[in-house]
């Protein structure tokens, strides 16, 4: 799917169905997310609101998939929350993004890291506790490198 408006209409339709356990269609929607959602250079300024709305739906969709698989398939669930973290990091580091979009991305990174940490800490296996500590260390390092953006809030 290359068209943001079509993708946005598709994901909104999934939400209107109000069936949170119908995850396979949501996975299909998330895996066909247009790359233009993550790169301002591919859209013009009149579509910035649409991009932000699409990013919000995408992020929430990833979180819903993570929640669904949390207990049955923890590694798969973790992947669906790691994906937004990585994409948001790339968004923040993209020199073509506006300062506003970068700051929005930083705020969302803080939200997603909390979700990642809660996920890891809820898992009984010790490797998840180590993963949690590694995530904290990496997040602190990344955010410190973005300090020039954090100061402009």
């Amino acid at each position: 799917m290359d068209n943001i408006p079509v993708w946005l209409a598709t994901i909104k339709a999934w939400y209107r169905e109000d069936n949170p356990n119908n995850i396979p269609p949501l996975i299909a929607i998330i895996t066909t997310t247009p790359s233009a959602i993550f790169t301002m250079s591919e859209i013009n300024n009149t579509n910035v609101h649409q991009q932000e709305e699409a990013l919000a739906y995408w992020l929430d969709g990833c979180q819903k998939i993570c929640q669904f698989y949390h207990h049955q398939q923890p590694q798969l669930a973790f992947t669906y929350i790691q994906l937004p973290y990585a994409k948001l990091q790339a968004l923040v580091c993209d020199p073509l993004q506006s300062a506003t979009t970068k700051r929005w991305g930083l705020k969302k990174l803080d939200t997603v890291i909390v979700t990642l940490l809660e996920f890891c800490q809820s898992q009984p296996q010790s490797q998840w506790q180590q993963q949690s500590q590694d995530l904290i260390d990496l997040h602190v390092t990344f955010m410190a490198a973005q300090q020039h953006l954090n100061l402009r809030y």
Side-chain angles (χ1 to χ4, degrees):
M1 223 179 269
D2 291 331
N3 190 332
I4 293 176
V6 171
W7 184 87
L8 198 49
T10 304
I11 198 163
K12 285 180 176 182
W14 183 87
Y15 275 86
R16 277 192 301 274
E17 289 175 11
D18 197 28
N19 185 356
N21 293 323
N22 193 13
I23 294 300
L26 181 58
I27 291 172
I29 295 166
I30 294 298
T31 58
T32 59
T33 302
S35 61
I37 287 175
F38 306 105
T39 54
M40 287 292 286
S41 61
E42 294 183 28
I43 61 175
N44 63 41
N45 287 337
T46 59
N47 292 331
V48 169
H49 174 72
Q50 200 171 52
Q51 179 201 26
E52 291 171 352
E53 183 180 19
L55 275 168
Y57 271 103
W58 175 81
L59 179 57
D60 189 67
C62 288
Q63 289 177 327
K64 287 187 181 313
I65 295 167
C66 176
Q67 289 168 353
F68 183 81
Y69 287 115
H70 186 115
H71 296 292
Q72 309 99 304
Q73 296 180 42
Q75 192 59 51
L76 179 61
F78 188 67
T79 300
Y80 274 99
I81 203 61
Q82 263 187 321
L83 174 64
Y85 190 79
K87 287 286 197 180
L88 287 168
Q89 281 184 322
L91 184 87
V92 167
C93 292
D94 182 353
L96 298 176
Q97 296 294 341
S98 71
T100 302
T101 300
K102 288 181 178 194
R103 284 191 296 275
W104 179 87
L106 286 172
K107 289 177 186 177
K108 293 299 179 185
L109 276 172
D110 283 340
T111 302
V112 175
I113 193 67
V114 169
T115 303
L116 279 164
L117 294 173
E118 287 174 346
F119 178 87
C120 289
Q121 293 167 3
S122 73
Q123 300 301 314
Q125 299 86 1
S126 62
Q127 74 261 22
W128 289 105
Q129 305 316 307
Q130 181 59 51
Q131 179 71 52
S132 177
Q133 187 57 53
D134 293 346
L135 286 167
I136 292 169
D137 295 342
L138 293 169
H139 183 72
V140 167
T141 301
F142 180 82
M143 294 304 273
Q146 307 308 314
Q147 196 60 29
H148 63 288
L149 292 171
N150 290 335
L151 293 174
R152 293 189 204 157
Y153 282 139

